[in-house]
Amino acid sequence: MPSHLSADRPAAQPPGRGSVDALISQARRLKGDVDAVRRDAPSDGSDPQDRWQRALCDLALHQLSDLDAHLAQLRDGPPPAPTAPGAEDPARTAPPAPRRGSLLSRVGSAEWNFLTDEVSWSGELYRILGRDPAAPPLTLDELPSLVLDEDRPRLTAMVTGCLVDAQRIDGEFRAVRPDGEVRTVHMMGEPVLAPDGSTASMWAVLRDVSELRRSERAVRESHDSLQHHRQRAQSEHRLAVELQEAVLPPWRGSLRLPHQGAETLDLAAHYLPSSTSALIGGDWYDALELADGQTLLSVGDLTGHGVAVASGMATLLGAVRGMAMAGTEPGRLMSLLNQLLDATVQPALGSAVCCRYRPETRTLVWAQAGHPAPLLFRGGTGRRLHSPDGVLLGATSGAVYAQAEETLEPGDLLLLHTDGLVPGRGSTAAVNRLLDLAPRFGEARTAQDGVRMVMEEFGETEREDDACVLIAKVTS
């Protein structure tokens, strides 16, 4: 029998207590820090990132608890060897049951002596396997009876390699306790050789790693879930971007509408993505020459983010174009858009401005639905157009939208925008900041110059939502 497991071994001398106590204190402080991080992590389980963080914290806590317990064993020295069954009352000889959750209760030891046919188990091993301390310990031939069928070949291979080839044992198997609970046991052991080279005995340390493996599985599963969530978010983002690019006007730089005639609008626009979210919003801008030679101008915003919102924006913009091509006036067009949103299965809210420009009279006819009014810049000054009545799209059934008219002059600059352009500010403050650009707009020769000035002022702003700006300059 190996000296470290024999009943008559000398008492082991613990290592320097001061150094080990210092390590224990450090481990416990670190465990407290990790536990604080875990408590601060959101626990509703809705975010894969939060689930992964909590799983990692749980795993770290299990590892640190193991370290704490093992350091305590190192400081205190090995426990006394258990008395052979039958020598005394097992209830008295078995070590006291550790408190619930103690890692010390998950480490046991065993020795199988092949010269004397003696087998000894520690009290902790009895508890790990759920065995009655009064029952005799199992021989190596009997041990597989506790193991799940699919794990028995693994245990047999480990034991055979140890006894026949003098290999170290280092592996795991799942044991079934009498109450049906399955525990994962990590087994480490070595053969003890007799002078003639034969195997005299085998000793092993068996550790219940069920909670540790459960935590590791939780980390893997949450990591896989997080990866799947990220891949899905990337796919949705890519789809939303492709959908947005397919729907928004394809022109870049300047555009002149209508294409025929002396009285034209010089047009330019820009889309500003959110700086804090990878999700695409429902903002749009549009400029389109209509069948009667008039020009459609529109900007809008459907609340929310993601593929569903981008799809809803595409539906609204398609409806705006179709109804404008059919000759529908802006006020009536807004009413029909409101009915369209009201009829959708997925409730949604949106805001929009829709304008028809009549080049022969330079008249702008427009309507709005809960949206910032267009800004008109003329002669170095700017003002907000007076808004006709109009509530948010989708807010109420049967809403009526009024129209307004404005006569433009050569050199005028008209600015349409969504409310994310100046984030975190009240509507009045946002408009005033745009109106402050009036002297610079007076020097703009083209609509593209005007967009460039807006980008210089607002392009680097941190914004939580997408935004867009559309500028039309009356050329003649």
Side-chain angles (χ1 to χ4, degrees):
M1 184 177 294
S3 61
H4 65 286
L5 285 176
S6 62
D8 56 352
R9 64 175 175 235
Q13 295 300 315
R17 296 181 63 92
S19 59
V20 177
D21 284 339
L23 290 173
I24 291 174
S25 297
Q26 292 177 20
R28 290 176 180 175
R29 281 197 298 270
L30 182 56
K31 183 179 176 182
D33 292 341
V34 174
D35 192 41
V37 173
R38 182 187 181 279
R39 290 196 303 270
D40 291 341
S43 58
D44 58 5
S46 59
D47 189 343
Q49 179 75 35
D50 295 336
R51 292 199 298 271
W52 184 59
Q53 179 179 340
R54 287 183 63 84
L56 280 177
C57 287
D58 288 338
L59 178 58
L61 287 172
H62 281 306
Q63 298 279 17
L64 288 169
S65 295
D66 279 356
L67 177 60
D68 185 9
H70 295 158
L71 288 172
Q73 287 179 323
L74 178 63
R75 178 194 61 193
D76 300 334
T83 303
E88 292 186 26
D89 183 355
R92 296 200 306 268
T93 60
R99 57 184 172 82
R100 182 175 179 82
S102 171
L103 268 291
L104 293 173
S105 65
R106 298 210 299 263
V107 180
S109 60
E111 181 183 6
W112 292 269
N113 190 310
F114 306 121
L115 300 180
T116 63
D117 290 331
E118 291 179 324
V119 182
S120 62
W121 281 12
S122 69
E124 290 83 2
L125 184 54
Y126 275 96
R127 279 188 285 270
I128 290 173
L129 300 178
R131 300 277 294 175
D132 183 355
L138 299 183
T139 66
L140 285 178
D141 291 334
E142 296 170 329
L143 187 61
S145 66
L146 303 180
V147 180
L148 287 180
D149 292 344
E150 54 266 38
D151 289 358
R152 287 177 185 171
R154 184 183 311 135
L155 176 62
T156 300
M158 289 191 298
V159 172
T160 300
C162 181
L163 300 183
V164 177
D165 300 322
Q167 297 176 349
R168 286 176 54 86
I169 290 177
D170 188 354
E172 293 183 4
F173 58 87
R174 289 167 295 171
V176 183
R177 293 161 56 101
D179 59 5
E181 182 181 7
V182 177
R183 308 300 293 179
T184 301
V185 179
H186 183 216
M187 184 176 183
M188 296 184 64
E190 290 183 350
V192 178
L193 302 181
D196 61 0
S198 64
T199 302
S201 64
M202 187 186 85
W203 65 267
V205 173
L206 297 97
R207 177 178 172 221
D208 185 347
V209 293
S210 304
E211 298 302 323
L212 183 60
R213 297 297 175 255
R214 188 175 296 115
S215 293
E216 290 173 340
R217 285 195 300 273
V219 169
R220 288 195 300 270
E221 291 169 359
S222 60
H223 178 268
D224 293 343
S225 175
L226 180 60
Q227 287 295 98
H228 176 73
H229 178 78
R230 286 174 174 170
Q231 292 171 358
R232 179 178 177 181
Q234 291 171 354
S235 298
E236 289 185 352
H237 175 74
R238 184 166 55 251
L239 178 59
V241 170
E242 292 173 354
L243 182 59
Q244 184 188 65
E245 291 178 346
V247 172
L248 292 182
W251 46 271
R252 299 293 184 267
S254 296
L255 174 71
R256 285 181 175 267
L257 293 178
H259 295 294
Q260 305 295 328
E263 300 83 6
T264 61
L265 292 177
D266 178 30
L267 302 163
H270 193 81
Y271 188 95
L272 296 91
S274 166
S275 58
T276 61
S277 173
L279 297 177
I280 295 296
D283 295 63
W284 85 79
Y285 64 86
D286 197 24
L288 181 68
E289 182 177 357
L290 302 177
D292 56 6
Q294 298 182 23
T295 298
L296 168 71
L297 304 175
S298 71
V299 296
D301 179 13
L302 191 64
T303 57
H305 296 84
V307 174
V309 172
S311 177
M313 176 270 288
T315 299
L316 284 184
L317 185 52
V320 169
R321 290 171 174 171
M323 289 186 286
M325 277 291 188
T328 307
E329 289 294 309
R332 176 60 178 163
L333 189 151
M334 288 295 180
S335 296
L336 294 174
L337 281 184
N338 184 64
Q339 292 181 28
L340 177 62
L341 271 188
D342 190 50
T344 58
V345 176
Q346 190 86 20
L349 292 174
S351 67
V353 166
C354 183
C355 311
R356 288 180 72 100
Y357 177 68
R358 298 168 181 163
E360 65 278 5
T361 60
R362 300 194 188 91
T363 303
L364 186 76
V365 181
W366 68 286
Q368 64 84 28
H371 199 89
L375 305 181
L376 179 60
F377 297 88
R378 177 182 296 166
T381 63
R383 64 182 176 89
R384 178 170 53 182
L385 300 186
H386 179 71
S387 295
D389 293 337
V391 299
L392 284 170
L393 299 172
T396 181
S397 301
V400 176
Y401 295 83
Q403 290 186 170
E405 290 190 11
E406 187 75 26
T407 301
L408 306 182
E409 297 179 3
D412 283 355
L413 187 146
L414 188 72
L415 187 152
L416 286 68
H417 69 94
T418 57
D419 56 9
L421 184 62
V422 189
R425 308 284 287 273
S427 58
T428 301
V431 168
N432 289 340
R433 190 173 169 190
L434 286 166
L435 293 177
D436 288 341
L437 297 177
R440 296 179 60 188
F441 284 146
E443 300 173 358
R445 293 176 300 173
T446 65
Q448 188 63 44
D449 288 341
V451 168
R452 190 175 301 111
M453 293 171 184
V454 173
M455 291 303 100
E456 290 173 356
E457 184 70 20
F458 303 106
E460 300 300 323
T461 302
E462 292 285 331
R463 54 177 49 82
E464 297 181 358
D465 200 0
D466 297 5
C468 60
V469 60
L470 172 63
I471 289 181
K473 187 172 176 63
V474 182
T475 59
S476 58

